[in-house]
Amino acid sequence: MNTPRTPVWKSIAATLEGDIASGHYAPGDKLPTEAALAARFGVNRHTVRRALADLGGRGILRS
C-alpha cells in the first residue's frame, strides 16, 4: 500500500514554522530571500513561494 507523499512545499512550510516557533526568527524579523531559502532547501523559488503563501494564509507571517 502506497502512502501519499507530503508535498515538498508543505515540508518547507513546516520547517519554517518550526524555526519561527523556536525563536530562530523573532516577530518583525525578515526571513531570508526566496533565493536563499530555495538554496537552503534545494528547490526552486516557486516551491518556496508556495510555502510562504501557505504560512501567510495561516497568519504565521506577512509580506
Side-chain angles (χ1 to χ4, degrees):
M1 183 167 131
N2 289 339
T3 54
R5 290 178 29 155
T6 302
V8 174
W9 68 265
K10 282 190 177 185
S11 297
I12 294 169
T15 299
L16 292 174
E17 187 174 1
D19 288 350
I20 292 166
S22 70
H24 186 74
Y25 300 109
D29 280 358
K30 289 188 175 189
L31 293 180
T33 65
E34 287 178 359
L37 289 171
R40 172 182 170 187
F41 293 107
V43 298
N44 63 42
R45 286 178 51 201
H46 178 77
T47 304
V48 169
R49 202 171 297 129
R50 178 66 181 94
L52 295 175
D54 176 67
L55 293 171
R58 292 190 287 132
I60 295 169
L61 54 89
R62 62 183 171 85
S63 56

